[in-house]
Amino acid sequence: MANSSLISLMKMSMCRPARELALALAFSLLIITSYSAKAEWRVPILGLSAVAPTLQLNNLAGKSVDITNLKGKVIVVNFWASWCEPCREEFEELSQLQENYGPKGLVVLAVNLAEMKSRVMQFLKGNGFSENSVEILLDRNSAVYKSWRARDLPTTFLVSKSGKIEGVWIGAIENIDSNAVKGKIESLLRQ
């Protein structure tokens, strides 16, 4: 009986390195695949209508902002939180989008997910952003996040002048000068 236990133990120890190697290879493949995935505007999320859902929230000054009042403008709706590292890294890109394309008719709405105004202000101040770099809206109970069917942070929706969702970008936008980003925005601004 002792020999069978020893043999079982030896078989387990011989399988363990192979199992560890297989897991390491699978994990490496997952990492390589995630880095090589092309970031781009995607077709709107399944179940989300072509027309942008309701979005009416207060900004940092307490003023109500309603997306229906922005018809005729191209709108970037970005869902973010200050604790989300990719969101933090992307905020500079959103500010640049607003600065570069705002005069041409683009509005960036940065919808903060369930954080207090004081926390958002702390994030802005700590990272050198002004309150007006983009229009920050407070979604305190995450109702808008849910109605837009955003599932990850950050998630960015691109809305045409007519109010139609033209694309969804899941994950951080890392380069606004890329053809994937500016090409789609500039095309919508020309319409």
Side-chain angles (χ1 to χ4, degrees):
M1 190 149 179
N3 283 341
S4 67
S5 295
L6 182 59
I7 291 171
S8 295
L9 182 61
M10 287 176 62
K11 285 182 182 178
M12 284 177 47
S13 67
M14 289 172 55
C15 294
R16 186 173 179 198
R19 187 173 48 241
E20 288 175 358
L21 178 61
L23 287 172
L25 288 173
F27 184 69
S28 297
L29 183 60
L30 180 64
I31 289 172
I32 290 168
T33 303
S34 69
Y35 281 116
S36 66
K38 184 179 177 191
E40 62 188 357
W41 294 110
R42 300 178 184 175
V43 175
I45 297 169
L46 186 65
L48 191 62
S49 72
V51 178
T54 303
L55 192 160
Q56 185 175 2
L57 294 168
N58 288 338
N59 64 14
L60 292 175
K63 179 184 171 198
S64 179
V65 175
D66 188 339
I67 196 171
T68 59
N69 296 333
L70 298 173
K71 287 235 169 141
K73 299 211 178 263
V74 175
I75 308 165
V76 170
V77 178
N78 174 268
F79 291 94
W80 72 285
S82 67
W83 49 262
C84 163
E85 191 59 37
C87 301
R88 295 169 66 88
E89 293 169 3
E90 176 186 57
F91 210 85
E92 176 68 31
E93 299 296 320
L94 296 175
S95 295
Q96 277 301 135
L97 278 176
Q98 184 62 57
E99 186 178 320
N100 294 351
Y101 295 107
K104 298 175 183 177
L106 180 81
V107 176
V108 176
L109 301 177
V111 180
N112 180 268
L113 189 61
E115 292 185 287
M116 300 293 289
K117 177 184 173 182
S118 59
R119 179 67 186 116
V120 173
M121 296 301 291
Q122 180 183 6
F123 163 77
L124 293 172
K125 186 177 180 181
N127 290 283
F129 295 111
S130 78
E131 285 182 48
N132 303 320
S133 57
V134 297
E135 184 80 71
I136 298 174
L137 305 178
L138 302 173
D139 188 13
R140 294 283 302 130
N141 61 6
S142 306
V144 173
Y145 175 81
K146 292 172 189 170
S147 72
W148 281 65
R149 297 186 185 264
R151 296 288 178 253
D152 294 314
L153 288 180
T155 297
T156 305
F157 293 86
L158 186 58
V159 181
S160 71
K161 293 177 182 180
S162 65
K164 180 182 176 201
I165 296 177
E166 296 290 339
V168 180
W169 191 288
I170 300 171
I173 296 174
E174 297 174 348
N175 181 5
I176 62 164
D177 293 323
S178 71
N179 287 334
V181 177
K182 76 177 186 177
K184 184 85 169 177
I185 290 172
E186 288 175 358
S187 171
L188 289 174
L189 287 169
R190 284 190 299 268
Q191 293 179 358

